[in-house]
Amino acid sequence: SNEASSKWLDAHYDPMANIHTFSTCLALADLHGDGEYKLVVGDLGPGGQHPRLKVLKGPTVMTESPLPALPAAAATFLMEQHEPRTPALALASGPCVYVYKNLRPYFKFSLPPLPPNPLEQDLWNQAKEDRIDPLTLKEMLEGIREKAEVPLSVQSLRFLQLELSEMEAFVSQHKSKSIKRQTVITTMTTLKKNLADEDAVSCLVVGTESKELLVLDPEAFTILAKMSLPSVPVFLDVSGQFDVEFRLAAACRNGNIYILRRDSKRPKYCIELSAQPVGLVRVHKVLVVGSTQDSLHGFTHKGKKLWTVQMPAAILTMNLLEQRSRGLQAVMAGLANGEVRIYHDKALLNVIRTPDAVTSLCFGRYGREDNTLIMTTRGGGLIIKILKRTAVFVEGGGEAGPPPAQAMKLNVPRKTRLYVDQTLREREAGTAMHRTFQTDLYLLRLRAARAYVQALESSLNPVSVTAREPLRVQGLGPTFKLTLHLQNTSAARPILGLLICFLYNEVLYALPRAFFKVPLLVPGLSYPLETFVESLSDKGISDIIKVLVLREGQSAPLLSAHINMPVSEGLAAA
């Protein structure tokens, strides 16, 4: 679509910007507290070589610094309430989270090391004491790598890559060092600490290669909570506050999405996808998941599937579009065919066509513009678009004309002879058929009304509880007296053939009369029915006793009541 009819203004396009990244490594923030929002990019570098941290102001790179390893995620968050309220920048790379304040290195958090494989430890101990030669060490380590559940350390993996001539020197260089097994960060997001405000303090939530989720304190960077997952998390979405209640959704490498609550060490719900997830975005209360089957799926936070939308091409990246001025939240999906599609639930709102396939997306305040869309492309290009202030997203705004389903012909079965005869009969005798139906309907209503009046007059369920407390307990224990009051509420009809049944825990109580017949109930009188209960427990435990009033020959009770038994004081004292 041309610029005049488009909802977007083309602010900038540089196909040679040399930015290679994905959506989780983009973040927008007012890093200097001057109202000018900057773009933070964890850049992988061309071909994954020379990763760098870049900060852009407008279309130009303001600062850049090298990173020790490939970035996994970038996030901006407030660490403390003190003025000036400038957000810190967190960048996850390898086993560390690098925290910057005012774009200067502030803190480095490293994941705690994992325990090494004991067999591997033993082999290196033998190598230190020269009890085994490098070739035997290599063979033994290869055996461990193939069979063991605990993976090898980086030191052993490097050793296995060496040529025979280099092994001796490597062993003598590393035999004094203790072997360490280090996991790496796969994903990261932020979670508000105790307030839902826009400028509230947030914790970092980190997913690791060792199938764990860690919540980090924003000031001390200690681990506040640790949760285990059945697989490695690759996408995270969090809602709520850490100190109050939060819900955490983690899309994992096994093709499942696990949902955890505040006090759960393990997942509470599991969503099984039929393909690998390629993105996870929460739109209001709906979890929107993109899969490798070129489709978007909507789920509730308990894992119930709401809808599925098929895409025309593979989904490369996803992110949230939030237009705060209009209260709109939608999901953006960058496709392999060079389209960016914007959906609200399953309704297509807008399609943006780009010169190259988009690999990362970010929407929000940039510079001093509230609604800016930033995209980077497969070839390293940078596209910046600004949403027009007059733009309104309307469902179906992505494609003009009738939906494709309208052109599909329905497979209508041929008319049978029976169908034609029935149609002719209905046409000829329609009035008579309608009258017959109406007569039957009125007769049914009349019979129901008569049966209802008869039930009221004869009071077919004439038993009621007289007192506010139908069951009373007397005594201190271990023997109690249980009294049930029954009354016949019918005007003139006595009742006969009722049974009383007591349901109780036979380990705690003994009832000599747990099932007995009720005498004839005269209308208007209250009948006290008594039985004795003996408490058998000497541990001061009490339980509920239920009473059912039944009619002979029927299993469904007419009435039921229950009482909480008191603790037996005689046994408790003993």
Side-chain angles (χ1 to χ4, degrees):
S1 59
N2 59 18
E3 179 114 8
S5 62
S6 170
K7 291 179 170 47
W8 302 90
L9 296 169
D10 294 327
H12 178 71
Y13 173 48
D14 178 6
M16 310 301 286
N18 198 24
I19 294 174
H20 303 269
T21 188
F22 34 83
S23 298
T24 50
C25 287
L26 294 181
L28 290 166
D30 179 9
L31 294 172
H32 300 98
D34 55 1
E36 186 89 16
Y37 277 64
K38 317 288 189 304
L39 173 69
V40 176
V41 182
D43 192 340
L44 284 75
Q49 302 292 318
H50 314 298
R52 302 182 79 76
L53 170 64
K54 295 180 178 177
V55 179
L56 281 81
K57 180 180 178 180
T60 54
V61 176
M62 197 171 82
T63 63
E64 60 177 299
S65 51
L67 290 171
L70 288 173
T76 57
F77 67 110
L78 273 171
M79 290 173 61
E80 70 264 309
Q81 296 284 9
H82 312 310
E83 296 288 340
R85 316 278 312 270
T86 52
L89 162 65
L91 196 103
S93 175
C96 303
V97 178
Y98 300 94
V99 181
Y100 299 82
K101 284 195 82 174
N102 297 317
L103 290 181
R104 291 192 182 92
Y106 175 79
F107 189 81
K108 176 181 156 186
F109 168 81
S110 297
L111 292 174
L114 301 172
N117 189 319
L119 292 169
E120 179 192 5
Q121 181 79 63
D122 188 48
L123 285 172
W124 280 103
N125 287 343
Q126 288 182 41
K128 279 177 196 174
E129 295 159 15
D130 298 322
R131 283 192 284 156
I132 52 169
D133 60 277
L135 201 60
T136 316
L137 178 63
K138 184 187 179 209
E139 284 170 11
M140 303 279 273
L141 286 173
E142 278 174 347
I144 294 172
R145 183 169 64 175
E146 283 167 23
K147 292 173 190 169
E149 286 182 15
V150 180
L152 292 177
S153 65
V154 175
Q155 182 177 317
S156 296
L157 292 171
R158 277 192 192 143
F159 174 73
L160 292 175
Q161 292 173 336
L162 299 175
E163 298 294 326
L164 277 170
S165 56
E166 302 167 315
M167 284 183 184
E168 190 87 45
F170 186 90
V171 171
S172 58
Q173 184 187 343
H174 289 85
K175 60 184 178 183
S176 57
K177 295 179 185 175
S178 59
I179 62 167
K180 289 176 186 172
R181 198 163 65 84
Q182 186 71 59
T183 184
V184 293
I185 297 167
T186 55
T187 179
M188 180 176 70
T189 187
T190 59
L191 165 65
K192 297 275 187 261
K193 181 90 164 65
N194 46 28
L195 294 170
D197 303 349
E198 185 66 28
D199 59 346
V201 170
S202 298
C203 308
L204 289 175
V205 183
V206 172
T208 72
E209 193 73 38
S210 55
K211 305 176 188 176
E212 283 184 326
L213 293 175
L214 309 176
V215 182
L216 308 181
D217 183 87
E219 288 189 277
F221 291 98
T222 52
I223 297 170
L224 296 176
K226 187 185 280 193
M227 292 163 257
S228 297
L229 290 168
S231 180
V232 178
V234 285
F235 298 105
L236 284 179
D237 187 89
V238 187
S239 61
Q241 296 107 55
F242 179 77
D243 291 341
V244 186
E245 179 59 63
F246 64 86
R247 196 175 267 113
L248 209 155
C252 295
R253 277 198 202 135
N254 62 357
N256 292 350
I257 294 160
Y258 298 99
I259 297 163
L260 300 99
R261 301 285 292 273
R262 182 172 187 261
D263 295 319
S264 53
K265 294 273 177 243
R266 298 198 167 278
K268 192 169 173 63
Y269 303 105
C270 170
I271 300 168
E272 290 188 15
L273 300 174
S274 51
Q276 286 288 329
V278 292
L280 177 69
V281 175
R282 187 174 47 83
V283 181
H284 296 300
K285 289 190 175 179
V286 178
L287 279 174
V288 182
V289 186
S291 78
T292 49
Q293 288 178 331
D294 309 349
S295 53
L296 284 179
H297 309 281
F299 294 92
T300 66
H301 56 247
K302 288 189 176 177
K304 184 187 173 191
K305 190 181 230 183
L306 298 172
W307 49 262
T308 298
V309 180
Q310 198 62 33
M311 297 286 124
I315 301 168
L316 300 181
T317 187
M318 286 168 61
N319 216 332
L320 178 72
L321 180 147
E322 187 171 14
Q323 192 184 4
R324 292 213 171 97
S325 57
R326 298 190 190 273
L328 171 80
Q329 281 193 356
V331 65
M332 306 182 289
L335 308 182
N337 63 356
E339 284 183 356
V340 173
R341 292 188 159 224
I342 299 170
Y343 283 89
H344 178 66
D345 286 343
K346 56 197 284 188
L348 180 62
L349 300 183
N350 192 228
V351 178
I352 301 166
R353 287 174 180 85
T354 54
D356 189 6
V358 168
T359 52
S360 77
L361 292 161
C362 185
F363 183 88
R365 187 175 172 88
Y366 187 42
R368 296 186 185 274
E369 275 297 331
D370 275 335
N371 300 313
T372 309
L373 174 60
I374 296 160
M375 300 175 274
T376 69
T377 65
R378 194 179 264 161
L382 173 69
I383 304 169
I384 302 173
K385 288 180 181 283
I386 297 168
L387 186 66
K388 290 180 183 174
R389 291 191 179 144
T390 55
V392 178
F393 288 112
V394 182
E395 292 190 3
E399 44 192 48
Q406 200 168 302
M408 287 168 64
K409 287 191 175 179
L410 294 173
N411 187 16
V412 181
R414 289 180 65 229
K415 292 177 184 176
T416 61
R417 181 74 198 155
L418 180 68
Y419 172 79
V420 174
D421 291 349
Q422 189 72 14
T423 315
L424 288 170
R425 183 175 149 266
E426 285 175 9
R427 206 177 287 165
E428 289 162 9
T431 312
M433 288 168 78
H434 180 67
R435 279 184 188 149
T436 310
F437 170 73
Q438 288 294 330
T439 308
D440 289 348
L441 183 63
Y442 284 130
L443 275 171
L444 180 68
R445 285 176 180 162
L446 180 65
R447 281 180 193 146
R450 277 180 181 158
Y452 182 58
V453 170
Q454 193 181 345
L456 287 175
E457 285 175 353
S458 60
S459 192
L460 288 175
N461 189 8
V463 188
S464 99
V465 170
T466 56
R468 283 188 183 172
E469 295 178 1
L471 281 166
R472 290 184 62 196
V473 183
Q474 292 168 286
L476 297 172
T479 303
F480 299 97
K481 186 164 137 187
L482 202 57
T483 310
L484 170 72
H485 293 273
L486 278 183
Q487 184 179 349
N488 180 353
T489 57
S490 175
R493 183 175 167 178
I495 199 164
L496 191 64
L498 293 183
L499 303 163
I500 298 284
C501 174
F502 290 92
L503 299 179
Y504 59 96
N505 188 337
E506 293 181 12
V507 177
L508 300 178
Y509 300 111
L511 271 81
R513 292 177 71 215
F515 186 80
F516 55 88
K517 287 188 175 183
V518 176
L520 179 113
L521 297 179
V522 176
L525 291 180
S526 173
Y527 289 81
L529 303 166
E530 297 171 349
T531 187
F532 288 93
V533 180
E534 189 178 346
S535 177
L536 304 176
S537 172
D538 58 351
K539 295 190 174 100
I541 303 170
S542 68
D543 198 10
I544 291 171
I545 292 184
K546 286 187 179 176
V547 186
L548 305 178
V549 180
L550 307 150
R551 193 187 288 276
E552 273 187 35
Q554 292 182 4
S555 58
L558 297 171
L559 273 177
S560 67
H562 71 271
I563 189 161
N564 286 308
M565 292 296 291
V567 176
S568 171
E569 292 188 17
L571 285 171

